[in-house]
Amino acid sequence: MKRDERIQIMQKNLLAWYRVHRRDLPWRRTRDPYAIWLSEIMLQQTQVATVIPYYERFLKEFSTVQALTNSPLDRVLKLWQGLGYYSRARNLHRAAQIVVSEYHGKFPQTTAVLNSLPGIGRYTAGAIASIAFDLDEPVLDGNVERVLCRVFRIKMSPKETATHKKLWTLARTIIPTGKACFFNQALMDLGATICTPRRPACERCPLRDICQALKNNEQNDLPIKKRRPPSPHYDVAAGIIWKNNRILIDQRKPQGLLGGLWEFPGGKREPHETLEECLIREVREELAIEIEVGEKLTVVKHAYTHFRITLHAFECRYRTGRPQAVQCADFKWVKLAELENFAFPKANEKILSVLRQKYATQSAPAIAATHPEL
Ligand code: SF4
């Protein structure tokens, strides 16, 4: 069968399959570019089931791009809490401001301009353009890559630049004229529900007659995976610093990993340093105060995209010095019950939950009284 013929069958079968099997997702009940943009940003690196409640809560509070613009970033981060990859929330807020100030609150309709907004890459630009504006623009995410590598039997890693480029060209070539909106979503759904990374359900696949990987029994071998080097591991110490029944928290600088989020002060252990020495040094560098390190509260293991940490949380007592935001954006002394008003990274959330459990039956003054040694 010739390639063009295969592409035609692919278009026809995929669209017919989508009409029957499309997933009913909240963002598919609208053509509002703002809502579609929001869903696409949330779906980057995150499963559909996790995204749905966040998407609904977000739209309830910020029903328009103007409403999002008017909100302080802190509130946006708080609503994002638990979804991870917080740079997405910061970029969302910045992009909303640009849409309102430079485009009068209307989303630009070309992929080039969409692509220039913070947090919108080539995939997201293509998704918004095709789904919200009905433009014949391609999309290429992990799901689409997998389907294309299998159907067209591409035996090179999609992470290689040349292969990636080739896949983008292919994703554009296969779009049926005027139908990118449904075709792209069909490809995404097929990758998410049938042509899954492991054990694809080829027997139920609308592309089984033209799939070159299936024909060669290579569906479990494609796409070719590029070996990743093992991610480094760091020990990190964090302090629950008590003073007069309040706890000291600080806010990370807006740039960089977890920017704008609040956390318990601390940082990465240097070689030849004990965790306690590390904590005293980090708190001194971050906030210019001296502390006394007490008992270990808990240990949390957490994996980020490029590294893993073991976070050791200690209860500490404030000793001397006036806190200053030396290596952080801000700091606050807050009561235990007030901590829920701040957005914390996931690893800190686990500390919070241990902390709440430990003091569930004690009021804040009792905590201080039961820890005279701290
Ligand atoms: S036949 Fe199997 S490998 Fe090929 S596209 Fe369908 S699910 Fe994927």
Side-chain angles (χ1 to χ4, degrees):
M1 192 188 298
K2 288 204 174 114
R3 193 167 180 264
D4 284 356
E5 209 180 323
R6 263 207 327 261
I7 291 175
Q8 276 176 20
I9 296 175
M10 181 179 194
Q11 294 170 339
K12 189 169 140 272
N13 289 8
L14 205 49
L15 287 170
W17 174 83
Y18 185 68
R19 277 194 284 278
V20 180
H21 297 283
R22 71 197 289 266
R23 290 178 293 175
D24 178 27
L25 303 170
W27 43 90
R28 288 198 173 154
R29 298 174 206 141
T30 177
R31 298 300 287 273
D32 176 3
Y34 166 65
I36 290 163
W37 165 59
L38 179 63
S39 71
E40 288 298 339
I41 300 293
M42 287 184 165
L43 286 164
Q44 291 167 2
Q45 328 263 4
T46 311
Q47 303 274 337
V48 165
T50 311
V51 165
I52 291 174
Y54 280 90
Y55 170 83
E56 288 172 341
R57 270 200 300 273
F58 226 84
L59 272 187
K60 202 167 166 200
E61 181 149 343
F62 309 125
S63 60
T64 61
V65 69
Q66 284 83 1
L68 176 56
T69 307
N70 294 339
S71 162
L73 176 62
D74 251 5
R75 181 62 195 152
V76 177
L77 289 171
K78 182 64 195 163
L79 275 184
W80 201 271
Q81 186 171 318
L83 207 52
Y85 301 99
Y86 289 87
S87 59
R88 293 183 297 175
R90 293 195 302 275
N91 283 333
L92 194 78
H93 196 240
R94 273 174 53 219
Q97 283 161 342
I98 295 172
V99 169
V100 168
S101 63
E102 292 182 24
Y103 300 97
H104 312 290
K106 291 204 180 330
F107 271 80
Q109 296 203 9
T110 66
T111 47
V113 183
L114 283 166
N115 208 176
S116 71
L117 294 173
I120 298 190
R122 195 172 173 187
Y123 163 80
T124 309
I128 299 171
S130 60
I131 301 170
F133 302 127
D134 245 333
L135 300 176
D136 278 348
E137 291 291 344
V139 292
L140 186 71
D141 65 351
N143 283 330
V144 178
E145 265 175 18
R146 187 165 57 253
V147 174
L148 297 187
C149 282
R150 286 173 175 171
V151 172
F152 294 93
R153 203 182 175 212
I154 295 169
K155 299 179 84 168
M156 288 169 294
S157 164
K159 303 296 169 227
E160 302 288 349
T161 315
T163 321
H164 200 64
K165 221 168 139 188
K166 187 174 164 183
L167 285 166
W168 268 108
T169 308
L170 183 58
R172 184 179 289 283
T173 309
I174 59 175
I175 294 174
T177 309
K179 294 189 177 140
C181 171
F182 292 144
F183 186 76
N184 285 345
Q185 294 184 81
L187 269 177
M188 296 174 197
D189 275 16
L190 191 82
T193 62
I194 301 278
C195 194
T196 48
R198 267 173 292 163
R199 301 221 308 243
C202 302
E203 66 290 349
R204 291 189 282 122
C205 179
L207 306 182
R208 62 186 173 275
D209 293 341
I210 55 154
C211 178
Q212 297 302 294
L214 179 64
K215 190 174 167 195
N216 292 281
N217 197 24
E218 290 170 345
Q219 63 274 28
N220 290 308
D221 306 327
L222 296 178
I224 303 281
K225 285 176 195 65
K226 200 175 170 184
R227 271 231 190 110
R228 272 216 221 153
S231 57
H233 170 268
Y234 305 109
D235 277 307
V236 175
I240 320 301
I241 305 169
W242 291 97
K243 180 190 167 198
N244 298 335
N245 305 322
R246 288 177 191 266
I247 296 168
L248 184 60
I249 56 172
D250 64 8
Q251 189 179 32
R252 293 178 71 94
K253 290 189 173 171
Q255 313 79 14
L257 181 75
L258 310 174
L261 294 188
W262 290 85
E263 64 181 9
F264 299 109
K268 216 188 293 175
R269 183 163 68 101
E270 300 284 356
H272 318 302
E273 207 175 35
T274 66
L275 287 162
E276 287 84 350
E277 286 163 352
C278 156
L279 190 50
I280 290 169
R281 173 186 56 75
E282 284 284 348
V283 171
R284 190 183 292 141
E285 286 171 5
E286 224 164 287
L287 292 148
I289 60 166
E290 297 300 323
I291 58 163
E292 192 177 308
V293 179
E295 274 182 19
K296 195 180 265 194
L297 176 75
T298 187
V299 177
V300 176
K301 287 183 186 296
H302 190 74
Y304 294 94
T305 323
H306 300 296
F307 62 93
R308 296 164 296 122
I309 62 163
T310 301
L311 180 58
H312 306 261
F314 292 86
E315 289 194 81
C316 307
R317 185 171 68 93
Y318 162 83
R319 281 185 50 222
T320 56
R322 219 187 126 121
Q324 297 161 49
V326 184
Q327 283 183 18
C328 55
D330 197 4
F331 63 86
K332 281 187 198 309
W333 289 102
V334 293
K335 290 184 178 161
L336 185 55
E338 293 167 344
L339 288 171
E340 67 181 26
N341 301 328
F342 298 84
F344 284 87
K346 203 155 201 154
N348 272 236
E349 270 180 59
K350 292 177 189 165
I351 299 176
L352 260 174
S353 118
V354 174
L355 200 58
R356 284 199 194 101
Q357 231 173 348
K358 181 171 178 183
Y359 296 115
T361 54
Q362 301 174 31
S363 63
I367 294 169
T370 54
H371 291 273
E373 77 279 8
L374 284 176

